Amino acid sequence: MNPSPTTAKALPPNTAHLVRSIADQFAIAGEYILGEEIESGHINSTYLATYELSGGELRRYILQRINEQVFKDPLAVMRNVECVTSHINWKVLRKKRDLGGQTLSLYPHKTGRFYHHGEGGGIWRCYNFFEGCRTYDVVKNSRQAYEAGHAFGAFQDLVSDLPADEIVETIPDFHHTPKRYDALMAAVEEDSCGRVAAVQEDLEFIRSNESEVGLLLKLQKEGVLPLRITHNDTKINNILFDQESDEAVCVIDLDTVMPGLSLYDFGDLVRTATNPAAEDEEDLEKVQMSLGIFEALVEGYLAAAGSVLNKAEIAHMAFSGRLISLELGMRFLTDHLNGDQYFRVQREGQNLDRARTQLCLASQIAEHEATMNSFVQKVARSR
Ligand code: ADP
Ligand code: GN1
Ligand code: MG
């Protein structure tokens, strides 16, 4: 089970001191009373800061340090995030005339900027904390899947009119699957940790799929698939759900918002939502791709973004789930072979388990792809 924000962890004294001093740099009203850590997410360091207002009311805020190993230009990330959050806030405000605390907003630093340069290095930012929400690592039912599909579809719709030149590519070739394939082959060649011998079967499966890794890029080059502004990290735990109603409240983790293909977003959603097991499941018997969940994702996504997408995007929705599962399988395997330098791990072999789960899912999607395609077409026709 994923820790919900309310089960955030106590901090060791050094980190507690650091978080308090960072929180102090932002224009937050009240008195700082507690800092805790939220451990979900493989990339950033995320903390929860609690303040007490003069009347005794408690308010909480998210403080995040951007991972500079992953994001080489964190200020460019912040410019993108500022642009996307203000665009979404403006659109929601215009439509509803009330934000109601339901959109992600950056809090200003004391200088008026939206980030803080940490003394020991690092770029920090502060967001509003969504009370009464939780995240899921694994989708529990079709309704949640519909909500998730709808949330990412609505996100696509909300950013569809952002001027493309305002958002920069902060991680070049993030979803360039052929380059991910090449990076894996380079890691195999180098075998820096002596782990290649044990992953021959996994490599065989990946090599057998090589001819398809460039398909979406080819369609993009031919002008069949349009370049859009996309989220690029649409895993299920990047959506906040209302704890009571289980409705999707907000899409978070905007660091990878960049120009991309809508199919990268839908594909990653399929990868994370249709697998009923954990992302790092060791028992592959438990990785059974759920067609019912796929169908709910399609219904939700098309209900919110169907009018934005073209025919080719719709025709490749099932394929995108297979491609992104394969891509993540390759990324996790590459990191395993390179000695776990990119994705945070809690145990040895975790990146290999993550890789195998994704590869298993990719092969199951291939088995059901024809049925999945027919379903997508049926929903698209009925709209
Ligand atoms: P990472 O890039 O490391 O995945 P995220 O931005 O996804 O970082 O944040 C990690 C976790 O922190 C999320 O999965 C969620 O549980 C929690 N979280 C992040 N932002 C908020 C927020 N504004 N309100 C409530 N919880 C949040
Ligand atoms: C990382 O930050 P997080 O945990 O939401 C990664 C994604 C992967 C995901 C796999 C910037 O996402 O690309 O799909 O792990 N983010 C980055 O769980 O590399
Ligand atoms: Mg995240």
Side-chain angles (χ1 to χ4, degrees):
M1 174 99 96
N2 189 34
S4 76
T6 41
T7 60
K9 224 182 79 181
L11 296 175
N14 271 352
T15 322
H17 179 73
L18 172 73
V19 171
R20 182 185 193 126
S21 68
I22 299 290
D24 226 23
Q25 302 303 315
F26 288 90
I28 302 176
E31 194 190 334
Y32 179 93
I33 53 171
L34 180 68
E36 294 162 287
E37 183 169 11
I38 296 178
E39 284 185 304
S40 73
H42 300 331
I43 304 293
N44 290 318
S45 305
T46 305
Y47 303 94
L48 183 56
T50 305
Y51 279 73
E52 186 174 345
L53 297 182
S54 52
E57 187 192 338
L58 298 182
R59 286 252 174 94
R60 300 198 281 181
Y61 301 84
I62 289 285
L63 290 170
Q64 244 176 359
R65 179 180 173 165
I66 300 177
N67 181 332
E68 281 165 66
Q69 296 295 107
V70 169
F71 297 100
K72 307 286 183 214
D73 184 354
L75 294 186
V77 171
M78 286 311 297
R79 284 193 294 276
N80 279 356
V81 171
E82 275 180 55
C83 180
V84 175
T85 49
S86 64
H87 183 75
I88 291 182
N89 279 328
W90 169 71
K91 280 185 91 170
V92 172
L93 195 59
R94 208 177 46 163
K95 202 165 159 199
K96 292 194 183 162
R97 296 185 174 272
D98 171 25
L99 287 178
Q102 300 303 287
T103 57
L104 202 57
S105 300
L106 287 163
Y107 270 76
H109 181 257
K110 284 178 174 168
T111 57
R113 294 185 309 245
F114 283 103
Y115 59 84
H116 170 68
H117 270 284
E119 268 171 32
I123 297 292
W124 291 77
R125 63 178 165 226
C126 177
Y127 282 125
N128 53 323
F129 173 76
F130 283 72
E131 293 291 349
C133 288
R134 59 159 301 164
T135 54
Y136 294 100
D137 285 338
V138 173
V139 163
K140 301 221 162 19
N141 53 52
S142 300
R143 187 160 170 267
Q144 282 176 4
Y146 180 92
E147 286 288 316
H150 196 276
F152 280 120
F155 182 86
Q156 178 63 78
D157 185 41
L158 278 168
V159 297
S160 62
D161 57 343
L162 250 179
D165 54 356
E166 286 196 19
I167 298 292
V168 299
E169 195 177 25
T170 48
I171 304 183
D173 299 321
F174 190 57
H175 278 296
H176 194 299
T177 322
K179 288 197 179 168
R180 297 292 188 184
Y181 182 92
D182 293 345
L184 172 61
M185 293 310 147
V188 170
E189 193 62 33
E190 199 176 330
D191 196 10
S192 59
C193 302
R195 292 175 168 177
V196 170
V199 301
Q200 288 307 316
E201 263 186 48
D202 309 283
L203 290 170
E204 204 178 301
F205 175 78
I206 291 167
R207 287 192 177 106
S208 73
N209 282 280
E210 187 192 355
S211 64
E212 287 184 295
V213 297
L215 178 60
L216 296 187
L217 282 168
K218 177 176 159 284
L219 293 174
Q220 182 196 335
K221 278 196 197 118
E222 291 168 358
V224 177
L225 294 175
L227 197 62
R228 302 183 182 280
I229 302 297
T230 46
H231 184 284
N232 293 304
D233 189 6
T234 53
K235 61 197 245 193
I236 190 70
N237 69 13
N238 284 330
I239 296 175
L240 296 175
F241 284 84
D242 186 293
Q243 244 160 4
E244 301 277 311
S245 68
D246 226 13
E247 279 163 22
V249 174
C250 187
V251 164
I252 57 168
D253 206 345
L254 306 178
D255 296 331
T256 48
V257 172
M258 286 184 276
L261 300 181
S262 65
L263 289 167
Y264 298 148
D265 281 2
F266 187 74
D268 207 18
L269 188 54
V270 173
R271 171 184 81 82
T272 56
T274 63
N275 171 22
E279 187 179 55
D280 59 352
E281 181 58 60
E282 291 170 66
D283 178 1
L284 294 183
E285 287 294 310
K286 292 189 182 155
V287 182
Q288 300 289 339
M289 199 272 299
S290 165
L291 271 177
I293 293 291
F294 175 78
E295 294 179 359
L297 291 176
V298 171
E299 305 228 32
Y301 192 76
L302 289 184
S307 57
V308 176
L309 305 176
N310 75 17
K311 278 194 175 138
E313 288 172 298
I314 292 174
H316 290 85
M317 284 171 79
F319 172 76
S320 73
R322 174 154 68 92
L323 183 76
I324 299 298
S325 301
L326 185 66
E327 181 181 292
L328 264 295
M330 295 193 291
R331 286 181 64 194
F332 286 135
L333 189 57
T334 305
D335 201 30
H336 171 71
L337 298 182
N338 287 342
D340 307 310
Q341 294 177 15
Y342 187 96
F343 295 104
R344 193 180 298 142
V345 287
Q346 282 90 29
R347 60 179 169 83
E348 213 185 297
Q350 193 172 10
N351 273 323
L352 179 58
D353 292 329
R354 287 172 178 154
R356 288 186 168 152
T357 298
Q358 311 316 305
L359 299 179
C360 180
L361 196 68
S363 92
Q364 292 184 7
I365 296 177
E367 240 174 77
H368 296 282
E369 208 162 314
T371 315
M372 292 161 81
N373 274 326
S374 315
F375 182 79
V376 172
Q377 292 307 330
K378 194 177 93 189
V379 178
R381 271 196 309 273
S382 70
R383 291 183 27 82

Short mmCIF file of all heavy atoms in Angstrom, two decimals, residues 80-94 99 103-104 155-163 166-167 229:
data_model
loop_
_atom_site.label_atom_id
_atom_site.label_comp_id
_atom_site.label_asym_id
_atom_site.label_seq_id
_atom_site.Cartn_x
_atom_site.Cartn_y
_atom_site.Cartn_z
N ASN A 80 9.09 25.98 -16.57
CA ASN A 80 8.00 25.17 -17.15
C ASN A 80 6.85 25.02 -16.14
O ASN A 80 5.68 25.19 -16.48
CB ASN A 80 8.50 23.76 -17.51
CG ASN A 80 9.24 23.73 -18.84
OD1 ASN A 80 9.33 24.73 -19.53
ND2 ASN A 80 9.76 22.56 -19.20
N VAL A 81 7.20 24.68 -14.90
CA VAL A 81 6.16 24.44 -13.89
C VAL A 81 5.37 25.72 -13.62
O VAL A 81 4.14 25.70 -13.52
CB VAL A 81 6.79 23.87 -12.57
CG1 VAL A 81 5.76 23.83 -11.45
CG2 VAL A 81 7.38 22.48 -12.82
N GLU A 82 6.08 26.86 -13.57
CA GLU A 82 5.38 28.15 -13.36
C GLU A 82 4.41 28.42 -14.49
O GLU A 82 3.28 28.84 -14.29
CB GLU A 82 6.40 29.29 -13.33
CG GLU A 82 7.01 29.51 -11.97
CD GLU A 82 8.01 30.67 -12.03
OE1 GLU A 82 7.65 31.78 -12.45
OE2 GLU A 82 9.16 30.42 -11.65
N CYS A 83 4.88 28.14 -15.70
CA CYS A 83 4.06 28.40 -16.88
C CYS A 83 2.81 27.50 -16.87
O CYS A 83 1.69 27.98 -17.07
CB CYS A 83 4.94 28.13 -18.10
SG CYS A 83 4.12 28.40 -19.63
N VAL A 84 2.99 26.22 -16.59
CA VAL A 84 1.86 25.29 -16.62
C VAL A 84 0.88 25.56 -15.48
O VAL A 84 -0.34 25.62 -15.69
CB VAL A 84 2.35 23.82 -16.55
CG1 VAL A 84 1.19 22.86 -16.45
CG2 VAL A 84 3.19 23.49 -17.78
N THR A 85 1.40 25.78 -14.26
CA THR A 85 0.47 26.01 -13.14
C THR A 85 -0.30 27.31 -13.35
O THR A 85 -1.50 27.36 -13.11
CB THR A 85 1.20 26.04 -11.77
OG1 THR A 85 2.32 26.92 -11.87
CG2 THR A 85 1.66 24.68 -11.33
N SER A 86 0.38 28.36 -13.85
CA SER A 86 -0.39 29.62 -13.99
C SER A 86 -1.40 29.50 -15.13
O SER A 86 -2.51 30.02 -15.03
CB SER A 86 0.52 30.84 -14.14
OG SER A 86 1.26 30.73 -15.32
N HIS A 87 -1.04 28.77 -16.19
CA HIS A 87 -1.98 28.58 -17.29
C HIS A 87 -3.22 27.81 -16.82
O HIS A 87 -4.36 28.21 -17.10
CB HIS A 87 -1.29 27.82 -18.42
CG HIS A 87 -2.13 27.62 -19.64
ND1 HIS A 87 -2.39 28.64 -20.53
CD2 HIS A 87 -2.79 26.54 -20.10
CE1 HIS A 87 -3.17 28.18 -21.50
NE2 HIS A 87 -3.43 26.90 -21.26
N ILE A 88 -2.98 26.73 -16.08
CA ILE A 88 -4.12 25.92 -15.61
C ILE A 88 -4.97 26.72 -14.62
O ILE A 88 -6.20 26.74 -14.69
CB ILE A 88 -3.63 24.59 -14.99
CG1 ILE A 88 -3.06 23.71 -16.11
CG2 ILE A 88 -4.74 23.86 -14.24
CD1 ILE A 88 -2.57 22.35 -15.68
N ASN A 89 -4.31 27.43 -13.71
CA ASN A 89 -5.07 28.23 -12.73
C ASN A 89 -5.92 29.28 -13.44
O ASN A 89 -7.08 29.50 -13.09
CB ASN A 89 -4.12 28.91 -11.74
CG ASN A 89 -3.70 27.94 -10.65
OD1 ASN A 89 -4.47 27.07 -10.27
ND2 ASN A 89 -2.49 28.07 -10.15
N TRP A 90 -5.34 29.91 -14.45
CA TRP A 90 -6.07 30.93 -15.20
C TRP A 90 -7.30 30.33 -15.87
O TRP A 90 -8.40 30.87 -15.80
CB TRP A 90 -5.12 31.56 -16.22
CG TRP A 90 -5.80 32.44 -17.22
CD1 TRP A 90 -6.35 33.66 -16.98
CD2 TRP A 90 -6.00 32.15 -18.61
NE1 TRP A 90 -6.89 34.16 -18.14
CE2 TRP A 90 -6.69 33.26 -19.15
CE3 TRP A 90 -5.67 31.09 -19.44
CZ2 TRP A 90 -7.06 33.32 -20.49
CZ3 TRP A 90 -6.03 31.15 -20.77
CH2 TRP A 90 -6.72 32.25 -21.28
N LYS A 91 -7.10 29.14 -16.49
CA LYS A 91 -8.24 28.54 -17.22
C LYS A 91 -9.34 28.08 -16.25
O LYS A 91 -10.52 28.27 -16.50
CB LYS A 91 -7.76 27.35 -18.07
CG LYS A 91 -7.13 27.82 -19.36
CD LYS A 91 -6.76 26.69 -20.27
CE LYS A 91 -7.85 26.31 -21.23
NZ LYS A 91 -7.35 25.36 -22.26
N VAL A 92 -8.90 27.47 -15.14
CA VAL A 92 -9.90 26.98 -14.19
C VAL A 92 -10.65 28.16 -13.57
O VAL A 92 -11.87 28.14 -13.42
CB VAL A 92 -9.23 26.08 -13.10
CG1 VAL A 92 -10.22 25.73 -12.01
CG2 VAL A 92 -8.66 24.83 -13.74
N LEU A 93 -9.90 29.20 -13.24
CA LEU A 93 -10.52 30.38 -12.63
C LEU A 93 -11.53 31.01 -13.59
O LEU A 93 -12.62 31.41 -13.20
CB LEU A 93 -9.42 31.38 -12.28
CG LEU A 93 -9.78 32.50 -11.33
CD1 LEU A 93 -10.27 31.94 -10.01
CD2 LEU A 93 -8.57 33.39 -11.07
N ARG A 94 -11.14 31.08 -14.87
CA ARG A 94 -12.01 31.69 -15.86
C ARG A 94 -13.32 30.91 -16.00
O ARG A 94 -14.39 31.44 -16.12
CB ARG A 94 -11.29 31.73 -17.21
CG ARG A 94 -11.75 32.86 -18.09
CD ARG A 94 -10.96 32.88 -19.34
NE ARG A 94 -10.84 31.52 -19.91
CZ ARG A 94 -10.49 31.29 -21.15
NH1 ARG A 94 -10.20 32.26 -21.94
NH2 ARG A 94 -10.40 30.06 -21.61
N LEU A 99 -11.04 28.90 -7.56
CA LEU A 99 -10.08 27.79 -7.62
C LEU A 99 -10.40 26.73 -6.59
O LEU A 99 -10.07 25.57 -6.75
CB LEU A 99 -8.65 28.32 -7.41
CG LEU A 99 -8.08 29.10 -8.59
CD1 LEU A 99 -6.70 29.63 -8.25
CD2 LEU A 99 -8.00 28.22 -9.82
N THR A 103 -6.39 23.31 -7.46
CA THR A 103 -5.33 23.27 -8.48
C THR A 103 -3.98 23.46 -7.77
O THR A 103 -3.92 24.00 -6.66
CB THR A 103 -5.50 24.39 -9.53
OG1 THR A 103 -5.52 25.63 -8.82
CG2 THR A 103 -6.76 24.22 -10.34
N LEU A 104 -2.94 23.00 -8.44
CA LEU A 104 -1.61 23.07 -7.87
C LEU A 104 -1.08 24.50 -8.04
O LEU A 104 -1.11 25.04 -9.14
CB LEU A 104 -0.72 22.07 -8.62
CG LEU A 104 0.53 21.57 -7.94
CD1 LEU A 104 0.23 20.93 -6.60
CD2 LEU A 104 1.24 20.56 -8.85
N PHE A 155 -6.15 17.06 -18.28
CA PHE A 155 -4.86 17.77 -18.24
C PHE A 155 -4.42 18.07 -19.67
O PHE A 155 -4.02 19.19 -20.00
CB PHE A 155 -3.81 16.93 -17.51
CG PHE A 155 -2.48 17.62 -17.39
CD1 PHE A 155 -2.23 18.48 -16.34
CD2 PHE A 155 -1.49 17.43 -18.34
CE1 PHE A 155 -1.01 19.15 -16.23
CE2 PHE A 155 -0.28 18.08 -18.24
CZ PHE A 155 -0.03 18.95 -17.18
N GLN A 156 -4.52 17.07 -20.54
CA GLN A 156 -4.13 17.24 -21.95
C GLN A 156 -4.95 18.37 -22.58
O GLN A 156 -4.43 19.22 -23.29
CB GLN A 156 -4.34 15.91 -22.70
CG GLN A 156 -4.03 15.98 -24.17
CD GLN A 156 -2.56 16.30 -24.44
OE1 GLN A 156 -1.70 15.46 -24.33
NE2 GLN A 156 -2.28 17.55 -24.76
N ASP A 157 -6.22 18.37 -22.26
CA ASP A 157 -7.11 19.39 -22.80
C ASP A 157 -6.72 20.78 -22.27
O ASP A 157 -6.64 21.75 -23.01
CB ASP A 157 -8.55 19.02 -22.43
CG ASP A 157 -9.54 19.96 -23.07
OD1 ASP A 157 -9.35 20.30 -24.24
OD2 ASP A 157 -10.49 20.38 -22.37
N LEU A 158 -6.42 20.85 -20.96
CA LEU A 158 -6.08 22.14 -20.34
C LEU A 158 -4.82 22.77 -20.91
O LEU A 158 -4.72 23.98 -21.05
CB LEU A 158 -5.90 21.96 -18.82
CG LEU A 158 -7.17 21.94 -17.97
CD1 LEU A 158 -6.86 21.47 -16.56
CD2 LEU A 158 -7.81 23.33 -17.92
N VAL A 159 -3.82 21.91 -21.23
CA VAL A 159 -2.55 22.49 -21.74
C VAL A 159 -2.51 22.56 -23.27
O VAL A 159 -1.51 22.99 -23.83
CB VAL A 159 -1.31 21.71 -21.20
CG1 VAL A 159 -1.22 21.83 -19.69
CG2 VAL A 159 -1.31 20.26 -21.64
N SER A 160 -3.61 22.15 -23.91
CA SER A 160 -3.58 22.05 -25.38
C SER A 160 -3.37 23.41 -26.06
O SER A 160 -2.89 23.48 -27.17
CB SER A 160 -4.85 21.38 -25.90
OG SER A 160 -5.95 22.19 -25.56
N ASP A 161 -3.71 24.51 -25.36
CA ASP A 161 -3.53 25.82 -26.00
C ASP A 161 -2.33 26.58 -25.42
O ASP A 161 -2.21 27.80 -25.61
CB ASP A 161 -4.80 26.65 -25.85
CG ASP A 161 -5.22 26.83 -24.41
OD1 ASP A 161 -4.72 26.07 -23.54
OD2 ASP A 161 -6.04 27.72 -24.12
N LEU A 162 -1.45 25.88 -24.71
CA LEU A 162 -0.22 26.53 -24.23
C LEU A 162 0.70 26.75 -25.43
O LEU A 162 0.94 25.81 -26.19
CB LEU A 162 0.50 25.60 -23.26
CG LEU A 162 0.54 25.95 -21.80
CD1 LEU A 162 1.27 24.87 -21.03
CD2 LEU A 162 1.19 27.29 -21.58
N PRO A 163 1.26 27.94 -25.59
CA PRO A 163 2.18 28.12 -26.72
C PRO A 163 3.38 27.18 -26.57
O PRO A 163 4.06 27.19 -25.53
CB PRO A 163 2.62 29.58 -26.57
CG PRO A 163 1.64 30.21 -25.64
CD PRO A 163 1.06 29.14 -24.79
N GLU A 166 6.82 28.08 -25.15
CA GLU A 166 6.99 28.51 -23.75
C GLU A 166 7.47 27.37 -22.87
O GLU A 166 7.89 27.57 -21.73
CB GLU A 166 5.68 29.06 -23.20
CG GLU A 166 5.39 30.43 -23.75
CD GLU A 166 4.34 31.17 -22.97
OE1 GLU A 166 4.07 30.82 -21.80
OE2 GLU A 166 3.76 32.10 -23.56
N ILE A 167 7.37 26.15 -23.37
CA ILE A 167 7.76 24.99 -22.57
C ILE A 167 9.01 24.38 -23.20
O ILE A 167 9.01 24.04 -24.38
CB ILE A 167 6.61 23.94 -22.55
CG1 ILE A 167 5.35 24.53 -21.92
CG2 ILE A 167 7.02 22.66 -21.84
CD1 ILE A 167 5.45 24.81 -20.44
N ILE A 229 1.99 19.57 -25.93
CA ILE A 229 2.56 19.70 -24.58
C ILE A 229 1.95 18.54 -23.79
O ILE A 229 0.73 18.39 -23.74
CB ILE A 229 2.18 21.05 -23.92
CG1 ILE A 229 2.65 22.22 -24.76
CG2 ILE A 229 2.75 21.11 -22.50
CD1 ILE A 229 4.14 22.34 -24.93
#
